[in-house]
Amino acid sequence: MSPSSQVYFDGTIFMQDTGHILFDRHGCGTEHRKRLDRQIHTGERSFRDVSEEMWGSLNVPFDESMKAMKEHLVIDPDFADFHDFCIREGVAFNVISAGLEPVLRGVLNEFLGHHASNRIDIISNKAEISEDGSNWKPIWRHDSQLGHDKSLSVKECRAHLRKHLPGNRNPLIIFVGDGVSDLPAAREADVLFARAGLRLEEYCQEHNIEYISFETFADIEREVLRILDSGDLERHKKPHNRTAHSSSVVKLFGSPVEERRIRRSDKGHISHIGARFNNGVTIVQ
């Protein structure tokens, strides 16, 4: 198979926002967190500014925060099967998140186990967390009002993946999302999945962006399998990403298999992409 598809996703594998669980129980509280969310929606304050206040409100040691996640977080019931599907099909699966990498890695370890978690690369913000939990400071991936501009991360992934595809082809990028932080990446993906009834779906409807609505990852698996079975990935790419006279396909899922893991430098930028891929599809979540 060719290395032509990648899948990316954010916190969509869980039914709740990981940050909200912590803010509501160990930080600013539910009501104030909702007020801060409204400030983002109205444009009164930037996503980065509000997020920094939310994370800064936490007063809980990291290990205790993971106990709260284990108690209150619910994973999509079909995600584990979907992740196995990606591994079998050779589809790269990556997490692109506006959250904090230590928290994301911790919950993936807890809910999937370390072996499965290690197959998933996380493209997110770093963090400084004091030992006593009294100081949580995000180290933002990008110097922007978003803190982490997911559209830029998708572009970076696409550019680096092209170097390892025959003929310098573009990969097929599949993005799975649900919320406000996913809006910038919505226009960058070749195939976009938006969870039904949430903000990303509303945004797509408001701006006439083509998307596929989903309830659980079982819906995504069925559609991705249909794309793979079509035998022509190029027609699923946006016109400007297609390669003339090529029938190869690239998929973009939330986490890549080991043969084609994306490695990042200490500064958080993508610095290397393995030359060996199974099928060239990447999924981002």
Side-chain angles (χ1 to χ4, degrees):
M1 296 182 187
S2 68
S4 47
S5 308
Q6 299 274 316
V7 178
Y8 294 89
F9 62 102
D10 66 341
T12 314
I13 63 175
F14 296 102
M15 307 308 288
Q16 310 99 322
D17 185 285
T18 52
H20 289 181
I21 287 178
L22 296 182
F23 307 147
D24 292 354
R25 292 165 177 79
H26 299 287
C28 58
T30 304
E31 293 307 313
H32 187 56
R33 189 260 302 165
K34 289 181 178 179
R35 285 194 292 270
L36 293 175
D37 278 337
R38 285 194 291 271
Q39 291 177 357
I40 297 174
H41 294 163
T42 62
E44 180 182 347
R45 296 173 65 188
S46 70
F47 182 90
R48 172 174 173 167
D49 186 31
V50 168
S51 296
E52 201 155 82
E53 179 176 338
M54 288 180 177
W55 288 111
S57 73
L58 291 179
N59 187 6
V60 58
F62 182 78
D63 288 346
E64 289 298 315
S65 75
M66 290 298 102
K67 291 180 181 178
M69 295 295 187
K70 184 177 181 179
E71 182 177 355
H72 300 286
L73 199 59
V74 178
I75 195 169
D76 184 296
D78 296 308
F79 176 74
D81 288 342
F82 175 74
H83 186 229
D84 289 342
F85 162 79
C86 289
I87 294 173
R88 290 196 308 271
E89 296 295 328
V91 174
F93 190 83
N94 309 275
V95 173
I96 291 185
S97 175
L100 305 185
E101 190 276 337
V103 173
L104 296 167
R105 181 59 70 193
V107 295
L108 289 177
N109 287 343
E110 180 65 43
F111 284 85
L112 299 180
H114 288 265
H115 179 71
S117 172
N118 287 338
R119 290 179 173 268
I120 300 176
D121 282 322
I122 298 174
I123 304 170
S124 186
N125 304 297
K126 303 298 184 182
E128 293 178 354
I129 305 171
S130 62
E131 187 174 353
D132 65 359
S134 62
N135 183 32
W136 288 61
K137 179 179 175 58
I139 307 300
W140 300 108
R141 185 176 182 85
H142 298 129
D143 184 15
S144 70
Q145 290 189 336
L146 295 169
H148 178 192
D149 185 341
K150 293 183 181 180
S151 66
L152 181 56
S153 287
V154 172
K155 289 176 182 177
E156 291 173 350
C157 289
R158 190 190 298 278
H160 282 275
L161 287 165
R162 284 186 64 183
K163 298 177 182 178
H164 300 283
L165 291 171
N168 202 32
R169 297 194 314 272
N170 275 313
L172 173 69
I173 294 185
I174 301 170
F175 188 89
V176 182
D178 57 13
V180 174
S181 67
D182 300 319
L183 306 187
R187 298 181 185 274
E188 297 300 326
D190 294 303
V191 179
L192 174 64
F193 289 91
R195 192 180 289 277
L198 297 182
R199 181 62 187 124
L200 179 59
E201 182 176 53
E202 293 174 356
Y203 178 83
C204 292
Q205 293 170 350
E206 292 166 0
H207 294 84
N208 295 316
I209 297 174
E210 186 175 350
Y211 74 98
I212 301 169
S213 182
F214 76 97
E215 297 283 350
T216 76
F217 272 83
D219 303 324
I220 300 173
E221 181 175 336
R222 284 192 293 271
E223 185 64 22
V224 171
L225 184 59
R226 185 188 67 79
I227 293 172
L228 293 178
D229 287 346
S230 73
D232 183 6
L233 295 185
E234 290 295 320
R235 71 183 182 87
H236 294 284
K237 298 178 186 179
K238 289 184 175 178
H240 60 277
N241 290 328
R242 293 173 186 162
T243 303
H245 309 299
S246 173
S247 61
S248 63
V249 182
V250 179
K251 314 164 205 132
L252 188 57
F253 288 77
S255 64
V257 295
E258 286 188 17
E259 287 81 3
R260 45 194 169 75
R261 293 182 61 103
I262 299 175
R263 293 177 172 81
R264 291 163 297 283
S265 68
D266 291 340
K267 292 183 179 180
H269 298 295
I270 299 168
S271 58
H272 173 73
I273 294 180
R276 293 182 57 210
F277 291 72
N278 285 342
N279 69 1
V281 178
T282 298
I283 296 178
V284 184
Q285 188 267 333

